[in-house]
Amino acid sequence: RGRLGFILPHKFFNSKYGEPLRGLIAEGRHLAHVVHFGDQQVFDGAITYTTLMFLDKAGNEQFEVVKVSDLAGWRETRPLGSGETLRVLTAGTIPASAVTAAEWNFTVGKGAALFERLSQMPVKLGDIAHIFVGLQTSADTVFLFKDTPTPSKKLTKVYSKELDQEVSLESGLLKPVVRSGEIGRYWATPTAHVLFPYYVEDGKAKLISETEMERAYPKTWEYLLKNKQLLANREHGKFKASGWYQLYPKNLDLWEQPKILTPYMITDLAAYPDKSDIYFVNVTTGGFGITIEESHGELEYFTSLLNSHLLDWFLKQVSTTFHGGYFAANKQFLVQLPIRPINFSDPADKARHDKMVQLVESMLALHKHRAAARTQAEQEQIQRQIDATDRKIDALVYELYGLTAEEIGVVEERG
């Protein structure tokens, strides 16, 4: 009868490379049964992210999906009916007509109807936002300096991993960098710097000439010359003609503008509205910058949506799971987030927008106060204010998205 069963990485469900094969399976309605283990580790001694996929040659009108949250418990369970839930798993059926070559985001259980409703919202983050990756140096050991002090007026002493020694560089060419673990919901703490040998004029980044580098930035020029062979040979020598000390020519001029910063590897979706010049370097050690035209609303409004429990819940339905409860918040998942647009001609809608902007501004201030607090008692007091403000923001988001009490309960049970 043509029955096939596969053990495979569940990344196949969401990857670009899986699209043609997903299309073939979807066209024939071959899916019969899926068991998704999330971050449960199936094989001893190896970190894998596994799913079971069973296919029928004849085709099916619907198929069963089981999501396992407790591997040992799953092995002992009896078969479940559609929509039935146990502590160790959630199961349900999905119509074959709902499956295409596009990403397979199978949501079952109590949250299935809410996920479907949010998925059908017409405006997605990818429709209104420009989402871009951090700087790419192709030589982080030369350009990136970790755990650096706040730059002084003229020279700053940094540790070069490539030379394995401290060097002094002109402060004007050092840009603050937020790295993984240094950014969260409504806060960011830059502790690294990147050497950025460019002028940014009229929103465009222009590489500083060798003559100007030697004249205006002699310490940095001396440092670059010590690394010339490595830098000139990057990317198979492609930078030799256009400037051997340049960075990879992508997104160089996007960081010194108002933007939202979102980390790549998360336990909870996080966003920070940066109105200065904080940079990310790479993706996996940093994250993404997001810009949105002002006509859609203030950055703080979109920050409140991204930091809400609701969009955190939605992202975790579509994202890739990693060991330890981590999720990937990369571009292919961020673009899918449903966005509630504001009708600024509606006084009630505008009032909600303005209230959320105000609450985010309060949240940003509270996090700064908490970071500066000297005693544990003071920190705990401020944390209570943060939690209360967070609940107010979530309540407004639920109202904006029209959630019922039952749907709010589904979101609040997340994790």
Side-chain angles (χ1 to χ4, degrees):
R1 293 188 301 273
R3 301 211 70 189
L4 302 175
F6 293 93
I7 305 171
L8 69 159
H10 54 63
K11 185 178 180 181
F12 163 73
F13 288 3
N14 302 99
S15 63
K16 184 69 176 176
Y17 66 73
E19 190 171 308
L21 187 53
R22 291 196 302 267
L24 182 67
I25 295 170
E27 184 179 358
R29 301 193 171 192
H30 297 303
L31 281 170
H33 190 73
V34 171
V35 182
H36 194 299
F37 293 102
D39 65 346
Q40 297 291 301
Q41 294 303 300
V42 176
F43 302 103
D44 291 337
I47 296 178
T48 58
Y49 303 99
T50 308
T51 190
L52 308 179
M53 180 176 70
F54 300 92
L55 308 176
D56 285 341
K57 179 181 179 180
N60 302 288
E61 292 304 310
Q62 62 183 23
F63 58 96
E64 184 179 26
V65 174
V66 175
K67 291 200 169 184
V68 178
S69 55
D70 181 339
L71 183 63
W74 169 76
R75 289 191 171 110
E76 304 299 324
T77 58
R78 59 177 173 78
L80 293 183
S82 176
E84 197 170 349
T85 303
L86 287 179
R87 183 179 58 83
V88 298
L89 60 86
T90 303
T93 57
I94 292 177
S97 59
V99 182
T100 67
E103 294 183 27
W104 289 356
N105 299 313
F106 300 143
T107 301
V108 291
K110 291 189 295 183
L114 174 60
F115 176 77
E116 182 64 23
R117 183 167 75 79
L118 293 175
S119 298
Q120 296 303 315
M121 289 182 65
V123 180
K124 306 293 192 291
L125 185 62
D127 297 327
I128 62 171
H130 178 42
I131 303 173
F132 48 94
V133 300
L135 299 181
Q136 299 167 64
T137 72
S138 301
D140 282 0
T141 55
V142 174
F143 288 102
L144 185 62
F145 311 107
K146 303 174 184 177
D147 303 318
T148 52
T150 302
S152 58
K153 288 185 177 180
K154 292 186 177 181
L155 295 175
T156 299
K157 188 173 290 187
V158 298
Y159 172 74
S160 167
K161 186 175 181 180
E162 184 61 36
L163 299 182
D164 190 22
Q165 67 183 56
E166 286 191 335
V167 295
S168 292
L169 305 177
E170 281 80 12
S171 302
L173 297 182
L174 297 175
K175 302 297 183 179
V177 171
V178 168
R179 299 175 64 246
S180 179
E182 298 169 348
I183 179 172
R185 300 172 67 250
Y186 303 108
W187 63 272
T189 308
T191 61
H193 285 83
V194 64
L195 174 57
F196 191 72
Y198 294 82
Y199 290 127
V200 178
E201 296 177 342
D202 299 323
K204 298 294 182 182
K206 182 180 180 182
L207 186 67
I208 301 172
S209 69
E210 294 189 20
T211 303
E212 182 67 9
M213 284 290 297
E214 186 175 11
R215 184 192 67 79
Y217 306 100
K219 293 288 187 181
T220 302
W221 183 241
E222 179 185 356
Y223 171 69
L224 290 172
L225 287 174
K226 289 180 180 179
N227 295 285
K228 183 173 182 178
Q229 183 176 356
L230 183 154
L231 297 179
N233 290 330
R234 287 175 298 158
E235 306 285 335
H236 306 291
K238 70 184 294 183
F239 298 151
K240 286 182 179 179
S242 56
W244 56 266
Y245 52 91
Q246 72 177 75
L247 307 182
Y248 195 84
K250 185 177 182 180
N251 302 334
L252 296 173
D253 47 15
L254 297 179
W255 293 94
E256 296 189 16
Q257 62 176 327
K259 58 193 175 291
I260 297 173
L261 301 175
T262 59
Y264 164 71
M265 192 60 67
I266 61 165
T267 53
D268 294 302
L269 182 58
Y272 174 76
D274 172 50
K275 295 189 175 181
S276 56
D277 60 351
I278 295 176
Y279 285 62
F280 276 141
V281 173
N282 300 320
V283 175
T284 56
T285 58
F288 294 88
I290 302 173
T291 56
I292 303 172
E293 288 187 11
E294 290 184 11
S295 60
H296 295 294
E298 299 287 339
L299 273 186
E300 289 83 358
Y301 170 71
F302 295 103
T303 301
S304 70
L305 299 185
L306 291 172
N307 280 328
S308 69
H309 287 167
L310 179 60
L311 292 199
D312 174 70
W313 178 85
F314 185 91
L315 182 86
K316 289 173 180 176
Q317 309 306 309
V318 301
S319 177
T320 303
T321 313
F322 292 93
H323 193 47
Y326 282 90
F327 293 81
N330 57 11
K331 185 175 179 178
Q332 77 176 97
F333 306 128
L334 292 174
V335 296
Q336 300 180 47
L337 294 176
I339 297 299
R340 165 61 159 81
I342 293 295
N343 178 5
F344 287 98
S345 62
D346 180 350
D349 230 20
K350 184 178 185 304
R352 293 189 193 98
H353 168 276
D354 294 347
K355 179 63 176 177
M356 292 173 77
V357 169
Q358 178 189 348
L359 288 170
V360 170
E361 289 172 346
S362 298
M363 191 70 101
L364 296 170
L366 285 168
H367 276 282
K368 288 181 180 179
H369 293 327
R370 187 182 185 280
R374 296 184 178 182
T375 66
Q376 184 176 348
E378 189 178 357
Q379 289 179 354
E380 290 174 352
Q381 180 186 6
I382 296 173
Q383 186 60 51
R384 287 193 291 272
Q385 293 176 274
I386 289 173
D387 294 341
T389 307
D390 211 16
R391 288 191 293 271
K392 290 179 181 178
I393 292 173
D394 272 328
L396 280 170
V397 172
Y398 295 146
E399 180 183 332
L400 275 165
Y401 283 74
L403 264 65
T404 65
E406 182 180 356
E407 290 173 331
I408 292 172
V410 168
V411 173
E412 294 295 333
E413 288 176 9
R414 74 201 193 287

